[in-house]
Amino acid sequence: MASRGALIAIEGCDRSGKSTQAALLVQRLRDAGVPTELVKFPDRTTVIGKIIDRHLKGDAELDDHSIHLLFSANRWGFKAWMERQQRAGVTLVLDRYVHSGLAYSMARGLDVEWCRATDIGLPHPDLVIYLDAPPTVAAGRSGYGAELYENVELQQRVYNAFAELQDASWVVLDASLPPENVAKDVLVAAQRCVSLP
Ligand code: DGP
């Protein structure tokens, strides 16, 4: 029987380089023969994900508690699939996960314990890699400002919330460095829970 696949969450503020790093990590693990899948949250293709997408594009106004619940529900929609993959020995690299759910809702002023409750029961990440990019660095990157939460004031609050959520188990990387350097450190960190041949 295959040994259980790992769950690696890559977290950070908008434009901190998560999607680039998540894709690179998936590629490097696959190249090393580790069965790996990428999961991006929010997944905008599901029924709930489509509502989230409209909200982020300013096309569907939802209050902060409702949107928090929808982001959480979007993750719940993948619980059974994630568990099946892990049981089959597939490692999952998550581009955002439950800590994004907390940080963005905290930044909008919601109670952290209320927010945490909605994700209780989802699979726990084996590793959280946090890409630390101060909002002023991220704001200079291409495409910034296209969606609802992409403004420096809110991103500063998200950044502060991530700082509050961090614990000693997180691997915190300086995301203002060139992507190749960050990628090397991401791969080293991943080896805490994935053994490479
Ligand atoms: P992304 O597709 O990774 O750029 O995420 C879209 C936006 O949604 C981004 O501004 C971060 C925000 N976001 C991601 N996950 C969550 C979540 O679980 N809760 C809330 N409130 N916002 C989230």
Side-chain angles (χ1 to χ4, degrees):
M1 199 174 79
S3 62
R4 179 184 164 279
L7 204 63
I8 302 173
I10 302 193
E11 293 282 13
C13 291
D14 288 65
R15 309 284 156 176
S16 56
K18 291 174 312 305
S19 299
T20 303
Q21 294 302 330
L24 284 172
L25 178 59
V26 168
Q27 198 51 56
R28 284 175 190 185
L29 292 177
R30 284 181 180 164
D31 289 348
V34 178
T36 308
E37 292 294 336
L38 174 67
V39 187
K40 169 147 183 51
F41 287 119
D43 182 310
R44 302 186 192 213
T45 66
T46 66
V47 173
I48 288 169
K50 285 180 183 149
I51 303 174
I52 293 173
D53 185 56
R54 286 184 58 196
H55 175 73
L56 291 170
K57 292 187 169 135
D59 185 33
E61 204 176 318
L62 288 159
D63 75 278
D64 291 319
H65 286 87
S66 302
I67 192 68
H68 175 86
L69 293 170
L70 291 179
F71 274 109
S72 183
N74 188 243
R75 291 186 282 275
W76 276 97
F78 286 84
K79 173 186 155 85
W81 179 84
M82 291 196 289
E83 289 176 342
R84 269 200 312 278
Q85 293 291 318
Q86 285 193 275
R87 275 199 304 274
V90 177
T91 284
L92 300 176
V93 174
L94 311 181
D95 176 355
R96 292 195 185 280
Y97 195 42
V98 293
H99 293 99
S100 281
L102 293 176
Y104 282 79
S105 290
M106 286 163 76
R108 296 287 301 166
L110 303 196
D111 176 70
V112 63
E113 292 314 322
W114 182 88
C115 293
R116 221 185 273 283
T118 65
D119 286 331
I120 293 174
L122 288 174
H124 284 285
D126 297 298
L127 176 66
V128 177
I129 300 175
Y130 176 65
L131 302 186
D132 187 336
T136 44
V137 170
R141 293 183 171 169
S142 68
Y144 188 88
E147 289 199 332
L148 198 64
Y149 300 141
E150 285 181 337
N151 64 79
V152 174
E153 195 205 335
L154 183 79
Q155 291 294 318
Q156 185 62 54
R157 290 207 296 272
V158 173
Y159 185 76
N160 297 346
F162 271 125
E164 228 178 280
L165 293 169
Q166 265 167 53
D167 66 40
S169 71
W170 288 27
V171 173
V172 178
L173 300 177
D174 181 354
S176 54
L177 295 173
E180 318 79 73
N181 300 31
V182 180
K184 280 189 197 131
D185 291 339
V186 167
L187 188 62
V188 170
Q191 290 175 66
R192 290 182 178 206
C193 55
V194 178
S195 22
L196 297 187

